[in-house]
Amino acid sequence: MSLPDVIPASRTAGEWWPPVMLDPVWITANAGLFDLMHVHFGFESFSVGHLTSCVEALASVGRPLVFTVHDLQNPQLFDQTRHEQHLDVLIAGATVVTTLTTGAAREISQRWGREAVVIRHPHLLDFNSVSAESVPDPGERSTAVVGMHLGDIRAGTDARRATMNLVGAVRMLRAGGLDVQAEVHVSTRVRDEAARDAVAQACREAEGVTMFEHPRLSDDELVRALAALDANVLPYRHGTHSGWLELCYDLGVPVVAPSIGHWLDQHDEPGAVVGFDPGSVGSLAAALSQTLRHPQTMSRRAVRAERRAQRWAHRGVIATAHAEVYRTALTAVGSADVTSSGVRRRDRDMPDHQKLRPPVTGNTAPET
């Protein structure tokens, strides 16, 4: 159980805001409301000094910090200097560090000397409202369709090179007899207009590659667009983990990803994620050929149904892992007994305003 997010009075509809709870004054004033603080995202807008003060405030009131490392490289930024300084503070100051893959855990160990607990990413598809049968299935069509989504071309998206690689790979595959078409999707509002224009020109001049420019898709539109693909190419120049990849996995869509970061560690079952060298058109062509010429043995709907069952069962594993992390963190501060659910037992003589509450969980980033 988590405390509800504190909403600033100045917030406007649709606006993201930094987590109000990640503040030394708030921590000190509200220490009686929570047992521990669990940070995921939202700290990038704060100074290094502010985060240091938060770590010190938590220590002063005896509340442990759990930090989940999603991004060893921030996909929103070109210059990683400040992000790495933030990681220095939070990884060093955390009572327990967690991350999403074994590869990221190894990197954390090598760079910071901390052993991170690996807890896999949960499902992103809303299985309560989306069934295996309710989204499109590519079926037995003669033309394979490959998709690549550039979004608003944030810093971690290598729009120009990724598009040129895809254009070259499609040319090679078609020359080799594979009937394939590619779709490049770009938001109508982008951060890099020059890159968008270069992508548009490359697609206009290419055979079998079309650019689609449109507003940001709704969740339902995105699910239907991804589900109709035979493969999805990730266009990233740097990063660590991908929520986009997780959604494709839920939908049964094979992902072709650059062999950097830790995307290939997110799912290791054959065909789920295939890597390529982002500096080589031939490598991308080979990865797409492997994916498209050797499709899944089950139908897409059967794959989705199987993964739904797998992911649903994994929810319990994730919950148990977090409970153990919380027990470890609370025990480490050494100030109270801990229940099997990972929450400290209340002292019967403790005044209500001092009784400890569920963990505070940092809010999510505006974009995955």
Side-chain angles (χ1 to χ4, degrees):
M1 180 178 177
S2 301
L3 291 177
D5 200 9
V6 179
I7 301 176
S10 59
R11 172 183 176 259
T12 58
E15 179 187 4
W16 179 84
W17 65 93
V20 174
M21 297 175 185
L22 193 55
D23 179 85
V25 175
W26 187 95
I27 290 168
T28 302
N30 295 278
L33 297 179
F34 64 97
D35 286 313
L36 60 83
M37 180 169 283
H38 189 167
V39 173
H40 289 268
F41 296 109
F43 54 84
E44 57 275 1
S45 60
F46 294 123
S47 69
V48 174
H50 180 93
L51 293 181
T52 300
S53 296
C54 288
V55 171
E56 292 171 348
L58 287 167
S60 69
V61 297
R63 302 295 182 268
L65 170 64
V66 174
F67 178 43
T68 294
V69 182
H70 290 263
D71 297 319
L72 288 161
Q73 292 184 305
N74 191 323
Q76 307 286 350
L77 305 173
F78 286 105
D79 185 353
Q80 299 294 316
T81 302
R82 181 170 171 176
H83 181 67
E84 291 173 355
Q85 292 170 344
H86 287 165
L87 293 180
D88 288 343
V89 172
L90 293 173
I91 292 176
T95 312
V96 180
V97 177
T98 77
T99 191
L100 305 176
T101 59
T102 55
R106 282 195 299 271
E107 185 173 345
I108 291 166
S109 176
Q110 292 165 358
R111 293 174 62 181
W112 288 278
R114 295 296 305 270
E115 298 304 313
V117 177
V118 176
I119 304 177
R120 297 287 179 179
H121 201 295
H123 65 85
L124 282 184
L125 187 63
D126 182 359
F127 292 125
N128 289 319
S129 60
V130 179
S131 68
E133 297 77 23
S134 64
V135 291
D137 194 320
E140 296 294 329
R141 61 190 177 198
S142 60
T143 302
V145 179
V146 175
M148 185 170 71
H149 291 72
L150 304 179
D152 64 354
I153 311 183
R154 62 186 182 180
T157 298
D158 197 356
R160 299 181 198 227
R161 183 168 73 164
T163 301
M164 295 307 299
N165 281 349
L166 183 59
V167 166
V170 168
R171 184 187 306 117
M172 293 176 66
L173 293 172
R174 289 164 72 97
L178 185 61
D179 188 1
V180 58
Q181 294 182 353
E183 301 177 351
V184 178
H185 293 261
V186 185
S187 296
T188 49
R189 296 178 62 183
V190 297
R191 308 184 198 187
D192 188 337
E193 294 184 356
R196 187 266 320 281
D197 294 344
V199 167
Q201 180 177 348
C203 292
R204 283 195 302 268
E205 296 173 352
E207 290 188 11
V209 183
T210 305
M211 187 183 97
F212 296 91
E213 192 172 8
H214 50 75
R216 180 171 178 167
L217 300 176
S218 68
D219 289 348
D220 182 65
E221 290 170 336
L222 177 59
V223 164
R224 298 185 69 82
L226 290 177
L229 300 175
D230 292 285
N232 189 89
V233 178
L234 299 186
Y236 304 143
R237 64 161 51 89
H238 65 255
T240 309
H241 301 116
S242 170
W244 194 277
L245 185 155
E246 296 293 342
L247 180 57
C248 286
Y249 181 83
D250 291 341
L251 291 167
V253 179
V255 171
V256 179
S259 298
I260 54 179
H262 299 289
W263 301 308
L264 302 186
D265 290 337
Q266 288 183 239
H267 293 283
D268 57 6
E269 66 185 68
V273 188
V274 178
F276 71 95
D277 177 357
S280 168
V281 173
S283 177
L284 175 57
L288 284 171
S289 178
Q290 175 185 337
T291 300
L292 300 175
R293 294 184 188 275
H294 303 283
Q296 297 153 325
T297 56
M298 297 188 295
S299 71
R300 181 68 63 79
R301 284 191 172 90
V303 171
R304 283 198 293 267
E306 182 179 81
R307 289 182 181 174
R308 172 192 173 99
Q310 171 201 26
R311 295 284 231 174
W312 203 257
H314 190 57
R315 287 162 59 97
V317 175
I318 292 173
T320 299
H322 278 98
E324 180 59 32
V325 163
Y326 295 158
R327 278 196 297 272
T328 300
L330 291 167
T331 301
V333 300
S335 62
D337 193 9
V338 180
T339 70
S340 61
S341 65
V343 178
R344 291 193 281 193
R345 292 191 177 94
R346 311 295 191 251
D347 188 323
R348 289 178 298 180
D349 298 326
M350 184 180 292
D352 285 344
H353 73 278
Q354 292 182 1
K355 291 181 179 179
L356 302 180
R357 305 298 180 188
V360 170
T361 304
N363 64 345
T364 57
E367 182 177 357
T368 301

